[in-house]
Amino acid sequence: MRWVVLLMVAFSALLFSSEVVLTSVGAADISFNGFPVTMELNFWNIKSYEGETWLKFDGEKVEFYADLYNIVLQNPDSWVHGYPEIYYGYKPWASHNSGVEFLPVKVKDLPDFYVTLDYSIWYENNLPINLAMETWITKSPDQTSVSSGDAEIMVWFYNNVLMPGGQKVDEFTTTVEINGVKQEAKWDVYFAPWSWDYLAFRLTTPMKEGKVKFNVKDFVQKAAEVVKKHSTRIDNFEELYFCVWEIGTEFGDPNTTTAKFGWTFKDFFVEVVK
């Protein structure tokens, strides 16, 4: 997730045989189970820190680790320090496409878009954190930031202390395959009219680990209903562009000066059904 601070990152990495490793803020393109993905060590709201961190792809899985202390924030009032992540498609804030030809695509033309991920996260000392996925819905397909008339749609599978912004405006139920079993999953829906329209779906029974498969289009269609009801700045949602699918962990709050946590992403798949 980005707010109003933009970190310019270099697409570079350390190469160790088949491994790709980032040890500071930056990004690298990888092929994850044959899908073009960019992994980004994204501390967008951190001015400085001490400690160790890395983001690693070993050819089969992506792992993140951080043991940070003496954290100084760019914006001390923000509830988020960063969002170490992977993404599939075009990320406006990075002005970069991971190599996905069909993205960005107009919302009205978005196909059924199934994402599968096997994940696990860990953290110490009751760290504010989530496991969140998201997209940006923009007025044009090549934006380098977002603003009024654009939208952010987040899908939170896990949260601790950290809560979505804005106000709860609705509830939503959709089918999600969890550990191989199709289930009806329940979500709280949040909305905020910030510099852009913000929407978040929070799983009411948070999952710290598991393998999930779901149709991204289900959330986009529900978001269209929420925008129609609550937004005063978007009246052509179907004509906007769906840009990307990002997966990562937001972490921190204004009082967080240390953070020790990590995650593992494996069995990542995308299935597009036109």
Side-chain angles (χ1 to χ4, degrees), residues 18-19 56 60 64 68 70 86 94-95 105 113 117 127 132 141 149 162 172 177 217 224 239 247 262:
S18 61
E19 291 187 349
K56 178 175 66 176
E60 296 183 354
F64 174 78
L68 312 178
N70 292 337
I86 63 172
S95 304
V105 63
F113 181 12
L117 181 74
L127 179 70
L162 201 62
F172 178 57
E177 186 177 301
K217 189 173 182 177
E239 294 295 326
I247 307 170

Side-chain angles (χ1 to χ4, degrees), residues 47-61:
K47 182 185 296 184
S48 64
Y49 66 87
E50 296 179 63
E52 177 189 4
T53 186
W54 47 259
L55 180 59
K56 178 175 66 176
F57 175 62
D58 65 5
E60 296 183 354
K61 62 185 179 298

Side-chain angles (χ1 to χ4, degrees), residues 161-179:
V161 180
L162 201 62
M163 289 291 291
Q167 300 294 322
K168 180 181 173 181
V169 297
D170 205 345
E171 297 178 354
F172 178 57
T173 300
T174 191
T175 301
V176 178
E177 186 177 301
I178 300 175
N179 297 324

Side-chain angles (χ1 to χ4, degrees), residues 51-270:
E52 177 189 4
T53 186
W54 47 259
L55 180 59
K56 178 175 66 176
F57 175 62
D58 65 5
E60 296 183 354
K61 62 185 179 298
V62 179
E63 291 184 280
F64 174 78
Y65 172 85
D67 185 3
L68 312 178
Y69 58 96
N70 292 337
I71 298 171
V72 178
L73 297 180
Q74 302 273 5
N75 177 3
D77 296 325
S78 173
W79 271 75
V80 176
H81 287 15
Y83 184 53
E85 62 169 314
I86 63 172
Y87 64 86
Y88 176 85
Y90 177 76
K91 181 177 177 179
W93 297 103
S95 304
H96 180 73
N97 193 316
S98 67
V100 181
E101 293 183 0
F102 86 95
L103 295 177
V105 63
K106 281 194 174 183
V107 169
K108 67 180 181 181
D109 298 323
L110 181 67
D112 289 317
F113 181 12
Y114 293 89
V115 171
T116 298
L117 181 74
D118 189 341
Y119 71 87
S120 62
I121 67 173
W122 62 271
Y123 54 87
E124 296 185 358
N125 301 320
N126 205 29
L127 179 70
I129 194 170
N130 64 21
L131 186 287
M133 309 189 192
E134 74 167 358
T135 188
W136 298 95
I137 307 293
T138 59
K139 296 181 289 292
S140 65
D142 56 357
Q143 290 181 204
T144 58
S145 64
V146 298
S147 60
S148 178
D150 300 320
E152 177 183 14
I153 303 172
M154 303 198 79
V155 179
W156 291 32
F157 278 89
Y158 179 78
N159 67 298
N160 178 67
V161 180
L162 201 62
M163 289 291 291
Q167 300 294 322
K168 180 181 173 181
V169 297
D170 205 345
E171 297 178 354
F172 178 57
T173 300
T174 191
T175 301
V176 178
E177 186 177 301
I178 300 175
N179 297 324
V181 179
K182 289 185 178 181
Q183 305 178 33
E184 293 298 297
K186 296 181 180 181
W187 311 80
D188 291 331
V189 185
Y190 291 76
F191 176 82
W194 294 332
S195 298
W196 53 84
D197 285 352
Y198 167 93
L199 299 93
F201 297 83
R202 187 188 74 89
L203 190 63
T204 59
T205 306
M207 291 177 51
K208 198 172 183 180
E209 62 182 2
K211 184 175 182 179
V212 297
K213 179 180 180 180
F214 60 97
N215 190 350
V216 170
K217 189 173 182 177
D218 292 343
F219 295 95
V220 176
Q221 290 177 332
K222 180 61 179 181
E225 297 177 14
V226 175
V227 165
K228 185 176 182 179
K229 185 175 182 180
H230 295 281
S231 177
T232 61
R233 299 176 296 186
I234 298 176
D235 57 10
N236 60 341
F237 188 81
E238 294 291 316
E239 294 295 326
L240 300 181
Y241 288 86
F242 177 101
C243 291
V244 67
W245 197 248
E246 304 183 43
I247 307 170
T249 50
E250 297 180 301
F251 69 99
D253 67 14
N255 299 313
T256 300
T257 58
T258 64
K260 188 170 184 178
F261 68 107
W263 48 253
T264 300
F265 293 166
K266 54 185 179 180
D267 292 341
F268 172 77
F269 297 96
V270 173

Side-chain angles (χ1 to χ4, degrees), residues 7-10 22-27 40-44 49 53:
L7 273 181
M8 300 303 293
V9 297
L22 299 167
T23 57
S24 61
V25 171
E40 183 175 345
L41 207 167
N42 178 0
F43 291 163
W44 62 267
Y49 66 87
T53 186

